[in-house]
Amino acid sequence: MAKGYDFDMKSQCADIVNFGFSKEEIAQAVRNGRLLSMEIEFSLRCDFRCPYCYVPNGRSHENELSPEEIRHTIVQAKDLGARRIIILGGEPSIYPGIMDMIGFIRNQGLEVEMFTNGSGITPTFAEQLIQQNVRVVLKLNTRNENLQDRLAGKTGASKIIHAALTNLKRAGYPSEKGFLAVSTIICRQNLDEVPEMWQWLRDQNIEPYFEMITPQENAKRNTWLDVTPLELAEVFAQLASIDRALYGRSWEPQPPLAANRCLRHQFSCLVTSRGDVMPCVGVTIPVGNVRERSLSDIIQTSQVLQDLRNYRHTIKGPCGTCEKAVECYGCRGAAFQLTGDYLASDPMCWRNAVRQP
């Protein structure tokens, strides 16, 4: 798998902010068919019903990986070079035995990052998280209580999230020991609030993890959330201007993450709650199952994963010839969900929107 890959290290920033891996480490993972991180769903059980969620409403929770299967998969990821396990959901904080699983990961010498809606973040749990140096990404889309409840599909969600934030702060987040970020989806309803919220987070040393909605599952049905590519371009430019002027941070706006670049396909993968291995939550193509084949075999033989790692030679259309093509391939999830082709140009990229006749 090492042959034929073209990763131009000169074009990459020293570190991908929210991923924390250097350009050299990413290049080496590409050359050797290895991992730096792995995303995993312990369960899809969740007490929120977000209208943009990639998990279908009513999805069965049967046949999910057992704790033993999860641990075995994590060890395999470690053997492939992974240094960080990113826990997705469902809602991880309500998963039975979550701290036992986090303890297992940390005992393997791996970092833990957990995306959470805050439901289970009690004062005690927050203390346990910082003791284990867990990187926490709390989901918060707006500071407007009624709107947050609507965007979470749950009455009282805003109070739950803000209580979780209070508990995390009291436990010592954010700090050198406790990385804290806030995950915000940019939608029609919070579009005007996004710049103010960005600055509010920056002022607290909380990393803003703001992203475009991937048009899949619930988001496809709830078109009232939609924002046009050109509107996204404007808000991304506003955030970049704020960072330059107030925080001395310089970055080039590009989809789908503000102040960051999504290169996860170079060094990561997703293992679903049923053991399917996929490139990410947006590129919903199972390339193998950890119950049937080793993670190593899946990673190193999947044509889909090889195509994405070799993106400089495989991405099609305007995204492949764009002047930013060396350092950007748009959102592969958006491309796949809207065109059915994971190598197609990203229809949500504002550069492509400008190019259209």
Side-chain angles (χ1 to χ4, degrees):
M1 188 169 179
K3 296 181 179 180
Y5 283 86
D6 180 11
F7 190 95
D8 186 346
M9 295 195 302
K10 293 181 181 179
S11 70
Q12 307 304 319
C13 294
D15 290 285
I16 309 302
V17 175
N18 288 319
F19 296 113
F21 304 122
S22 71
K23 58 186 180 182
E24 291 84 4
E25 290 169 331
I26 296 173
Q28 189 173 39
V30 170
R31 286 193 299 268
N32 299 326
R34 293 173 66 77
L35 298 175
L36 292 174
S37 69
M38 180 182 72
E39 301 173 7
I40 187 168
E41 302 167 346
F42 289 172
S43 172
L44 291 183
R45 297 182 185 278
C46 186
D47 53 344
F48 283 16
R49 292 294 180 267
C50 301
Y52 54 85
C53 185
Y54 70 89
V55 179
N57 286 333
R59 171 74 180 268
S60 172
H61 306 305
E62 297 176 356
N63 200 33
E64 294 190 328
L65 294 173
S66 68
E68 182 179 355
E69 289 173 319
I70 292 172
R71 287 191 289 267
H72 182 54
T73 302
I74 289 166
V75 170
Q76 291 184 71
K78 176 186 175 182
D79 291 342
L80 278 169
R83 301 207 310 264
R84 179 181 302 153
I85 302 299
I86 302 169
I87 307 172
L88 305 179
E91 173 46 43
S93 69
I94 63 174
Y95 177 76
I98 180 62
M99 281 312 306
D100 289 339
M101 196 63 71
I102 287 173
F104 173 81
I105 298 170
R106 294 295 289 134
N107 287 337
Q108 295 295 315
L110 305 174
E111 294 180 353
V112 178
E113 183 167 290
M114 183 179 76
F115 280 70
T116 176
N117 64 31
S119 293
I121 310 293
T122 63
T124 299
F125 189 47
E127 291 281 358
Q128 292 173 327
L129 290 174
I130 202 164
Q131 287 170 9
Q132 292 281 15
N133 298 102
V134 175
R135 296 165 56 94
V136 176
V137 184
L138 181 65
K139 299 174 184 178
L140 174 65
N141 295 314
T142 172
R143 297 169 69 189
N144 179 297
E145 183 173 340
N146 291 333
L147 178 56
Q148 178 57 69
D149 286 1
R150 186 184 182 198
L151 293 176
K154 181 183 176 70
T155 301
S158 180
K159 288 184 171 62
I160 290 171
I161 294 167
H162 284 281
L165 182 58
T166 297
N167 292 336
L168 289 165
K169 287 182 175 180
R170 288 175 178 169
Y173 288 92
S175 63
E176 184 176 349
K177 185 178 181 181
F179 173 89
L180 179 62
V182 158
S183 174
T184 300
I185 57 97
I186 300 173
C187 64
R188 171 66 51 197
Q189 289 65 36
N190 67 4
L191 189 62
D192 292 339
E193 184 188 357
V194 163
E196 177 187 350
M197 193 167 164
W198 183 275
Q199 188 172 338
W200 176 70
L201 293 169
R202 282 281 196 235
D203 288 344
Q204 299 175 80
N205 293 318
I206 298 173
E207 191 69 29
Y209 193 99
F210 286 26
E211 61 183 318
M212 298 160 52
I213 297 176
T214 303
Q216 65 188 110
E217 293 301 340
N218 294 306
K220 274 190 174 180
R221 291 189 291 273
N222 294 307
T223 55
W224 50 274
L225 296 165
D226 290 353
V227 181
T228 69
L230 294 182
E231 288 173 316
L232 289 165
E234 182 177 347
V235 76
F236 271 52
Q238 284 182 277
L239 300 181
S241 178
I242 289 170
D243 265 4
R244 281 193 303 271
L246 300 181
Y247 306 105
R249 302 189 184 205
S250 182
W251 49 273
E252 182 73 18
Q254 65 182 57
L257 302 171
N260 210 334
R261 287 173 291 134
C262 180
L263 295 175
R264 59 167 46 89
H265 303 109
Q266 303 293 287
F267 55 80
S268 190
C269 69
L270 166 71
V271 178
T272 73
S273 63
R274 295 186 178 186
D276 288 326
V277 178
M278 298 183 182
C280 67
V281 297
V283 182
T284 49
I285 304 174
V287 297
N289 191 288
V290 295
R291 285 171 164 157
E292 300 167 358
R293 298 163 55 199
S294 71
L295 186 60
S296 175
D297 183 46
I298 294 169
I299 295 293
Q300 297 184 358
T301 63
S302 165
Q303 187 62 52
V304 174
L305 296 180
Q306 290 185 38
D307 286 343
L308 290 168
R309 288 194 168 204
N310 200 22
Y311 72 96
R312 289 293 289 116
H313 299 292
T314 58
I315 299 297
K316 304 171 184 176
C319 276
T321 57
C322 178
E323 62 272 23
K324 298 291 184 181
V326 172
E327 59 191 25
C328 175
Y329 48 51
C331 178
R332 292 297 91 212
F336 178 69
Q337 296 296 331
L338 291 175
T339 73
D341 184 352
Y342 61 93
L343 297 175
S345 286
D346 178 3
M348 292 299 296
C349 177
W350 45 85
R351 290 176 179 272
N352 291 336
V354 170
R355 291 187 186 100
Q356 291 176 0

